[in-house]
Amino acid sequence: MNIRVRIAPSPTGYMHIGTLHTVLFNYFFARQQGGAFIIRIEDTDQKRFVDGALESLLKTLTTLGLEHDEGPVLNADGTLSEKGSFGPYIQSKRLDIYKPYVEQLLEKGEAYVCFCTAERLEEMRAAQTAAKQTPKYDRHCLALSKDEVEARKKTEPFVIRMKVPEGSTTFDDAVRGPITIKHSEVDDQVLLKSDGFPTYHLAVVVDDHLMEITHVLRGEEWLPSTPKQVILCQMFGWESPVFAHIPLLLNADKKKLSKRQGDVAAEDFLSKGYLVDTLINFVGTLGFNPKSDEEIYSKAQLIELFDLSKVNRSGAVMNIEKLDWMNHQYIAKLDEQKLYEAVKPFAPEIDFTNPIALRALQIEKSRANRLTDFAASLAPYLGIPAYVPTILVWKKADAEDAKKNLENIRAILSGAGEEAFADITLIEGLIKEYISTNALQNGNVLWPLRVALSGAEKSASPFELLWVLGRGESLKRIENALNLLA
Ligand code: GLU
């Protein structure tokens, strides 16, 4: 079988992290199976349409390196086109496609015209709710005669509803197993709205069929829609795709992710300083853990290991501490060039033509959780912050001791060549030799030296600082400390 999957987002202007979750599972599955990953835009609900939203979605997918095989394409000059032979892939360009299918159902008596006004439906729902019934269309218009329907159609707005038959439907969800729904619980869903636009349910079934979609991997919130869609497929005589409803993403308090855009957009995670690889690893393993003893997976590994039968049924909690931990792992692994490229946009005030800045990156990467951390962590290397001389004094020593040791270290470092600074073990050896020869404690020397170099009580080790700052800047900072102690 030629596996074909799709994501069918409505363009909202940003990529909800839940959409990214769905995208990743579809993408992993398609790539693993050698199938096609398709993007179809569901924009028939004109109220939800946002200008530029499609462009933004496609841009984000490109940034994330998740290429699709068919669907809308954003060209370099900003124009939109399409690729694939099942188009158009934007539902608002497919409006003529749906009507004949509805005609077909009307002819077979599997759909009917409904003239009920919004007010009547509202009253009906209120009455049903008051009687503790699940709100459902009461088939008020089903009994209308053909002539009456034809006559009223000329003057009144109307919708077309599906006539859900009696019985029950079972489908085998690839994540949740077999699910049976009694038709008595299924509403006579509107298929065609009064403006002639198809509803989501009609469009999704027709498009999935015409686009030869084999598997529908989507969020759990669509599970209640599935019976309607399976019944529609049966009415048309089509085989349903395989459904796999993937878990919802939850906040730390186990509630559904809040809708506030700032908290849920994939783009925001990138601008907060998370790497693309981190985001794919983190979101791609929410509700799916390929191996219980492992957390770090590349995109290629996730493609290889993806397994629908290992997807959890319960909601997946987004643990931001874990995301930070994971990003920390990825940042620490970046090579010099990649790290520089990743950090640069987040630290525009840092002068990377200065070799000190590039060396400082190498040291600070083992401490960073987000790319946004570097602007602050690199600053003291490029200009020592003002500090009070008392912090130069180790807690078990006094100012005299700090001064004497700094003077001696200054002499040793002045005598050492530039090459000693280029090798962290060499410079460390020189300092340690001084400590042992003079039978000192580490703190007598390393504390004042570290503070002299960093201007702070907490920092990288003195050896790392010497390596980053180099001979000239290190001596300058020691000199400055000695002046403060004088
Ligand atoms: N248009 C729906 C959405 O916004 C698609 C649901 C589906 O995959 O069927 O996610």
Side-chain angles (χ1 to χ4, degrees), residues 201-429:
H201 295 279
L202 173 68
V204 84
V205 166
V206 171
D207 287 348
D208 283 346
H209 173 72
L210 294 179
M211 293 183 181
E212 297 178 13
I213 301 300
T214 57
H215 293 70
V216 170
L217 278 57
R218 61 183 176 191
E220 189 194 325
E221 68 268 36
W222 300 100
L223 194 55
S225 304
T226 310
K228 290 175 192 171
Q229 296 171 10
V230 172
I231 294 170
L232 267 179
C233 277
Q234 287 164 355
M235 288 176 169
F236 289 125
W238 302 333
E239 203 182 314
S240 293
V242 174
F243 289 98
H245 287 92
I246 65 176
L248 283 186
L249 304 188
L250 308 174
N251 281 324
D253 61 3
K254 304 244 163 98
K255 296 220 178 82
K256 197 169 176 246
L257 277 194
S258 89
K259 279 257 155 55
R260 276 184 304 134
Q261 178 164 334
D263 293 324
V264 295
E267 293 85 351
D268 288 337
F269 285 88
L270 295 175
S271 60
K272 278 182 187 162
Y274 295 104
L275 294 165
V276 166
D277 287 347
T278 308
L279 210 53
I280 289 179
N281 188 158
F282 181 74
V283 180
T285 51
L286 285 170
F288 164 63
N289 197 0
K291 298 180 195 159
S292 53
D293 54 350
E294 200 97 42
E295 301 280 11
I296 301 292
Y297 298 97
S298 66
K299 187 166 85 179
Q301 285 172 311
L302 290 171
I303 290 170
E304 190 194 321
L305 297 168
F306 187 71
D307 185 347
L308 276 173
S309 71
K310 285 193 185 160
V311 173
N312 298 336
R313 293 176 193 189
S314 49
V317 174
M318 296 249 312
N319 178 344
I320 299 299
E321 273 165 35
K322 181 170 168 190
L323 176 62
D324 281 343
W325 170 84
M326 201 177 263
N327 206 41
H328 174 86
Q329 309 295 315
Y330 276 98
I331 289 177
K333 273 195 300 194
L334 288 177
D335 69 26
E336 232 167 291
Q337 182 62 23
K338 290 222 172 83
L339 179 64
Y340 161 70
E341 281 163 13
V343 172
K344 211 169 167 271
F346 289 91
E349 63 279 30
I350 301 285
D351 172 16
F352 284 106
T353 60
N354 184 344
I356 291 180
L358 292 176
R359 287 197 294 267
L361 268 185
Q362 295 307 308
I363 297 300
E364 289 303 323
K365 75 174 182 179
S366 62
R367 273 177 268 270
N369 284 342
R370 301 185 191 183
L371 297 171
T372 44
D373 293 346
F374 287 96
S377 67
L378 258 48
Y381 292 91
L382 298 165
I384 188 154
Y387 61 93
V388 288
T390 47
I391 66 166
L392 285 161
V393 181
W394 185 43
K395 60 177 189 280
K396 294 191 194 163
D398 56 22
E400 245 344 275
D401 182 67
K403 197 169 159 213
K404 181 189 78 202
N405 285 312
L406 279 177
E407 275 166 355
N408 293 338
I409 291 295
R410 177 178 59 179
I412 291 170
L413 294 178
S414 306
E418 298 278 357
E419 4 27 281
F421 285 81
D423 184 335
I424 230 169
T425 52
L426 273 185
I427 204 80
E428 184 171 346

Side-chain angles (χ1 to χ4, degrees), residues 392 394 397 401 405 435 440-449:
L392 285 161
W394 185 43
D401 182 67
N405 285 312
I435 295 174
L440 296 166
Q441 289 192 57
N442 279 340
N444 292 103
V445 179
L446 301 187
W447 179 274
L449 177 59

